[in-house]
Amino acid sequence: MNLSQLETGQRGVIVKVKGHGGFRKRIVEMGFVKGKHIEVLLNAPLMDPVKYQIMGYEVSLRREEARQIDVITEEEALTKVPEINFYGTLTDKEAHDDGLHLQQTKLNRLVEVRHNVINVALVGNPNCGKTSLFNIASGAHEHVGNYGGVTVDAKRGFLYYKNYRINLIDLPGTYSLSAYTPEELYVRRYIIKKTPDVVINVVDASNIERNLYLTTQLIDMNVRTVMALNMYDELQTSGNKLDYEQLGTLLGIPIEPTICKSGFGINELLDRVIAIYNDQEKVARHIHINHGKELERSISRVQRYIAENESIRSRFSTRFLAIKLLENDERINMRIRKLPNWEDILRVGDEEKKRLRKELHSDSESAITDAKYGFIDGALRETFKNEHLQKRHLTRIFDSVLTNRYFGFPIFFLFMFLMFQATFTLGNYPMDWITWLVDQLRHVVSEYMPLGPLKDMVVDGIIGGVGGVIVFLPNILILYFFIALMEDSGYMARAAFIMDKLMHKLGLHGKSFIPLVMGFGCNVPAIMSTRTIEDRKSRLITMLIVPFMSCSARLPIYIIFTAALFPNNGAMVLMSLYFIGITIAVFAAKIFSKWLVKGKSTPFVMELPPYRMPTSKALFRHTWQRGAQYLRKMGGIIMIASIVIWFLGYYPNHDGYSSAQEQQENSYLASMGKVIEPIIKPLGFDWKLGVGLISGAGAKEVVVSTLSVIYSQSGDEVGQQELGKRIPIDRITAYAYMLFCLIYFPCIATLVAIKSESGHWKWAYLSAVYSTSLAWIVAFLFNQIGHLIV
């Protein structure tokens, strides 16, 4: 709990003091330190401020300030024995001492335990290795990609290190703490509201000048910071030299070199975190970025007016607020308007902006940015030596080919073809092995389980449904392996670069291409990654067209038909479906851009990171994560759906018919399917295929498990090679069915993601309605025209 929650007359012990810079320093100097007892004496008539007694003297604090001080009560210590035992169990002597001493011992132990919990936020530019650091330090397995915007939300993990529990928060990658993108606002808001004990500023050692701009803004915020100079091996192999200790002295921030792929420097970094948390780090000293005489004069004047409001000092650096106000930050402007003297602050701010334009011949925002880069340039002149100015980086050599105007597109399409070819052909061998295992399991259960509905449910419902989908795990893993290879190597960003012109013609942004390619894996994280697109127009349009990307859940549907009906050219058929999805997305984007979503496109600004050789550990970890997610689906939604489909197809009156076919024709399932059969009959689909489409609304994999249950009602063994042949349709109708599955109703999870990211259900409803209508039209035209031609 925090100090403001204590009642009058209640006593507590201080655990830690949060807050920023000057406020925290002043509070600590007043004696508010770990282990000190404090008592609430009385509240002011309006309940604010509150008078406390600490170290034998009385002091008053506003409740806003008291919220930044964590305490525990004597009563709480008596109920937290398990937590105390984490730090160390009580000795026999302590346990037999008098009650007062025992209570005090428990209290001291609990203070120590609570104090030894450090909340650490990871802040850094996109593609600086921040999430890799999070993974290796916490043991978590978050997605790591070599392009900007992989982390679109805060991820949490923890580790125990030297009697400390370190809670890690991996914040979205951001280039600054302005209000330009959702990531910038999220990171800034988190640092201000959650007040992490320490911030680890992750900096890419191979691109240090650009990364340090964010560092200067953290300095403005006056938060306790440790710098992780990541990818230090790339700096060493480049031949360049950096005196990082001297740079840390100039910045007032301790710097520790790290190499996340090998774990180098992680323990030393954690030692620095603990030292700065306990105020033992000698390098840590707060400095002010010197913006030059005129700017400093303006910043100081605005800061004086803001500092008149003591209520905000505990949460904000008044210098940071002054700088942001001069930078025309709209969110800070709104915050200032809540202060009693807001009119004076804004008036002074406007006066200083006009004066700066006159003196510097530049607007204040540009002048502050230039001054920060001037400070960075000066610091690097003293600490950084570039020994290879004429050396052409390997990245440029690769880019000259992979982003070439003539070779870029053919290479991209070749890579995509190889991905689909490998998915279709290499996946066949392990798929056959898994099919054999599933058939053996079905045979054993059929042999030893007694006859009855339970046996039929296990054999036809669970094994038939779940087994019918699990066999595609190898294909899913191969597809995700190629996507991980594109992401981790840096090629994904190049794909966005070469596609920007086409995207722009569609009213989209080059960054839109990254969520579209990610959609080949799963539409849900692809839609979440649209947060990296700055303007709302491109972001909304991208959300609406991502479902046209053939996610891995649709892959099993394609394979059962291509394996049975297109055995000699399955890879080409598979690739055609993916590119039809892309083509439909292109036309849909053009229509939405022109008629539905209004707004201007923003300029294409995107980092092209250096190429990096992906580590086998990272590739296989990322691939297996997705595979594990697929397996969890098997034991969850797909198994439940398979049992429901089996039940509807088994009842009523299962034993009242002369044949299995007759029974199925009179089942609940048939009744449902025949309701929609008039709608889908023009497409060449019967009620059984219609039921498969209905079940796919929950998850597209369920289409295959449904068909597996329907076409193996008699308990016989139907492998995936045979399932497609059991379905009585020709090639044209089968392709029309695959087209329908490609285009129609996104799964429920995708619709929820669209609602969450857009902020309105109307966009999710629109996606469901227009995609299903379009699926019917496309499948109808293909089936009718195809049968006329062939």
Side-chain angles (χ1 to χ4, degrees), residues 504-508 541 585-595:
H504 186 70
K505 287 179 182 275
L506 303 175
L508 293 175
I541 296 175
V586 165
F587 284 105
K590 187 67 175 176
I591 293 171
F592 291 151
S593 177
K594 189 171 183 179
W595 302 105

Side-chain angles (χ1 to χ4, degrees), residues 400-474:
S400 65
V401 177
L402 296 179
T403 62
N404 184 276
R405 60 182 301 186
Y406 300 110
F407 303 132
F409 284 103
I411 290 174
F412 173 71
F413 291 128
L414 175 63
F415 184 87
M416 298 296 286
F417 173 76
L418 291 175
M419 179 173 74
F420 299 129
Q421 181 70 25
T423 300
F424 186 76
T425 56
L426 295 181
N428 279 337
Y429 301 103
M431 186 174 74
D432 291 341
W433 304 334
I434 298 176
T435 300
W436 181 83
L437 290 173
V438 171
D439 288 342
Q440 293 304 307
L441 177 62
R442 173 179 283 190
H443 177 75
V444 170
V445 173
S446 299
E447 187 76 21
Y448 293 102
M449 277 193 74
L451 295 174
L454 180 60
K455 173 184 175 180
D456 293 340
M457 183 189 73
V458 173
V459 173
D460 297 325
I462 298 177
I463 299 178
V466 176
V469 180
I470 200 173
V471 298
F472 297 103
L473 178 62

Side-chain angles (χ1 to χ4, degrees), residues 24 129 164 211 284 306 331 410 430 515 532 566 645 722 726 741:
R24 185 177 180 280
Y164 287 86
N211 280 236
I306 295 175
R331 297 299 178 106
T532 62
F566 305 94
I645 294 297
E722 298 296 324
R726 286 286 186 96
C741 292

Side-chain angles (χ1 to χ4, degrees), residues 495-505 509-511 604:
F497 174 76
I498 64 177
M499 295 295 292
D500 178 62
K501 188 170 184 179
L502 175 60
M503 294 288 105
H504 186 70
K505 287 179 182 275
H509 195 284
K511 285 186 179 180
F604 179 72

Side-chain angles (χ1 to χ4, degrees), residues 498-750:
I498 64 177
M499 295 295 292
D500 178 62
K501 188 170 184 179
L502 175 60
M503 294 288 105
H504 186 70
K505 287 179 182 275
L506 303 175
L508 293 175
H509 195 284
K511 285 186 179 180
S512 298
F513 189 70
I514 290 177
L516 296 181
V517 176
M518 288 181 67
F520 290 152
C522 180
N523 290 166
V524 175
I527 288 170
M528 292 176 65
S529 71
T530 59
R531 298 181 195 177
T532 62
I533 304 171
E534 287 82 4
D535 67 299
R536 178 172 172 78
K537 175 185 176 182
S538 292
R539 192 160 61 247
L540 272 175
I541 296 175
T542 306
M543 284 182 215
L544 293 174
I545 66 175
V546 159
F548 291 131
M549 301 298 103
S550 287
C551 64
S552 59
R554 296 178 174 98
L555 188 58
I557 305 172
Y558 302 158
I559 291 178
I560 64 169
F561 290 107
T562 54
L565 302 175
F566 305 94
N568 297 324
N569 50 4
M572 292 300 297
V573 171
L574 201 60
M575 187 172 178
S576 69
L577 289 165
Y578 279 81
F579 277 100
I580 287 173
I582 294 172
T583 303
I584 293 174
V586 165
F587 284 105
K590 187 67 175 176
I591 293 171
F592 291 151
S593 177
K594 189 171 183 179
W595 302 105
L596 186 63
V597 185
K598 303 295 183 180
K600 295 182 179 180
S601 298
T602 59
F604 179 72
V605 180
M606 181 179 175
E607 177 190 3
L608 292 179
Y611 291 99
R612 294 190 173 97
M613 180 63 69
T615 63
S616 57
K617 181 180 178 181
L619 285 177
F620 286 112
R621 182 175 62 190
H622 180 201
T623 302
W624 176 244
Q625 279 179 268
R626 298 301 184 183
Q629 186 180 31
Y630 186 73
L631 289 175
R632 284 193 294 270
K633 269 189 177 182
M634 301 301 104
I637 183 173
I638 291 176
M639 186 173 73
I640 294 171
S642 298
I643 294 173
V644 170
I645 294 297
W646 171 85
F647 179 87
L648 295 173
Y650 194 83
Y651 293 104
N653 303 321
H654 177 73
D655 298 324
Y657 301 94
S658 58
S659 67
Q661 182 177 359
E662 183 183 0
Q663 184 274 324
Q664 194 179 74
E665 290 286 344
N666 291 277
S667 66
Y668 294 129
L669 196 64
S671 301
M672 292 173 54
K674 289 174 181 177
V675 170
I676 66 167
E677 192 170 36
I679 301 173
I680 61 176
K681 195 167 185 179
L683 313 181
F685 310 157
D686 62 9
W687 68 266
K688 295 180 181 180
L689 293 174
V691 170
L693 295 175
I694 293 174
S695 65
K700 293 297 181 284
E701 300 98 332
V702 182
V703 174
V704 173
S705 65
T706 299
L707 296 179
S708 297
V709 172
I710 291 175
Y711 286 99
S712 59
Q713 285 292 317
S714 60
D716 59 344
E717 299 174 5
V718 181
Q720 294 310 306
Q721 296 289 338
E722 298 296 324
L723 179 58
K725 296 178 182 178
R726 286 286 186 96
I727 302 173
I729 55 177
D730 56 27
R731 289 186 174 190
I732 292 175
T733 305
Y735 198 88
Y737 192 77
M738 289 188 285
L739 283 175
F740 195 95
C741 292
L742 161 67
I743 304 169
Y744 89 115
F745 196 93
C747 69
I748 299 298
T750 300

